[in-house]
Amino acid sequence: FLAAALDPTEIIAMTKEEEIIEWDEREGVIKARREWRVGNLIAQQKPLHNPSTEKTVALLCNVIRKEGLRIFDLTKDFEELQARIFCLQIWRPEISLPNFSEEGLLDKIETWAAPFLEKVKRRDDFKKLNLLHLLNPLFSWDQMQMLNKYAPEKIKVPSGSEISLSYTADGNNPVLAVRLQEVFGLSDTPTINEGRTPVLMHLLSPGYKPVQVTQDLRSFWTNIYPEVRKELRVRYQKHSWPEDPWT
């Protein structure tokens, strides 16, 4: 008997309209609706098909912070770039470079990710974004030039090929994995970082099998190559194995 009939039209003036945009973690999708409330009571709600771009982007930035960079497609190219930056920060701490740790990147999520999130509606859409392209705004032109100068992505060898270097985040010497035949005529171990950092050479057979690991190519040619040549001449008879690897 304490209940009273209510005509909803009588409280329309009392309702507060609100745009609700949420991330459904289970389904990995944005869900948006418009609600009319009296206090905490929902008087009415309808799906919202065109939610505020600003609110949606802010929500997605928080999703990235919570789930981490793994929400993107973390390609080998990204990992190599990250390792190159870490190495250069160790080798030349005087050079100012972006903080490329996961924590550092998430701290600046609004700077590099927000401008590209307008079309993201579900978790799979993050995988379609080119992470390296998103991160470009973090670099100045000078910083990118410094990175390419001191920690290059590739090294050119006597065969004319440009071989990718493999860096590690701990600042160890990067690895140059190259077929032995492509470095005939190379007297000394290549260096980067203006000659301060020699690469670690993984010399490979024509079938890309390990032959020798060295940081002293001159010593390899003098002391080890003659024996290696005997073995490779038998295994790879169609290839040329000169007695003089220096020229």
Side-chain angles (χ1 to χ4, degrees), residues 99-222:
N99 184 348
F100 239 61
S101 67
E102 180 160 6
E103 181 181 354
L105 292 176
L106 293 178
D107 280 344
K108 292 193 173 182
I109 198 74
E110 284 83 8
T111 300
W112 59 268
F116 302 93
L117 298 178
E118 291 186 11
K119 295 184 179 180
V120 173
K121 304 298 181 186
R122 56 185 66 249
R123 184 177 280 111
D124 288 346
D125 290 339
F126 285 105
K127 302 292 185 183
K128 299 174 184 177
L129 297 173
N130 185 326
L131 185 56
L132 290 184
H133 178 65
L134 268 61
L135 292 168
N136 277 338
L138 293 179
F139 292 93
S140 69
W141 187 87
D142 287 339
Q143 287 174 327
M144 187 57 72
Q145 293 303 305
M146 289 290 186
L147 179 64
N148 291 332
K149 177 180 180 180
Y150 297 122
E153 184 180 354
K154 297 180 178 182
I155 281 184
K156 191 171 184 178
V157 294
S159 68
S161 298
E162 291 191 350
I163 308 297
S164 295
L165 290 167
S166 181
Y167 291 81
T168 55
D170 55 11
N172 284 337
N173 302 69
V175 171
L176 178 68
V178 58
R179 289 182 298 177
L180 181 59
Q181 295 165 300
E182 297 208 61
V183 290
F184 285 147
L186 185 63
S187 300
D188 294 298
T189 305
T191 62
I192 58 171
N193 190 20
E194 286 195 327
R196 300 183 189 181
T197 309
V199 304
L200 180 62
M201 302 190 72
H202 286 203
L203 300 174
L204 310 175
S205 72
Y208 293 93
K209 302 295 182 182
V211 172
Q212 184 73 17
V213 175
T214 183
Q215 261 189 318
D216 189 346
L217 186 60
R218 182 174 292 274
S219 176
F220 169 78
W221 290 138
T222 301

Side-chain angles (χ1 to χ4, degrees), residues 73-108:
D73 184 14
L74 296 182
T75 62
K76 184 178 179 182
D77 287 341
F78 166 76
E79 293 172 350
E80 286 288 344
L81 175 62
Q82 189 180 47
R84 288 169 64 203
I85 291 172
F86 288 160
C87 283
L88 193 53
Q89 287 173 329
I90 293 171
W91 300 337
R92 291 180 178 261
E94 71 277 8
I95 296 178
S96 174
L97 291 171
N99 184 348
F100 239 61
S101 67
E102 180 160 6
E103 181 181 354
L105 292 176
L106 293 178
D107 280 344
K108 292 193 173 182

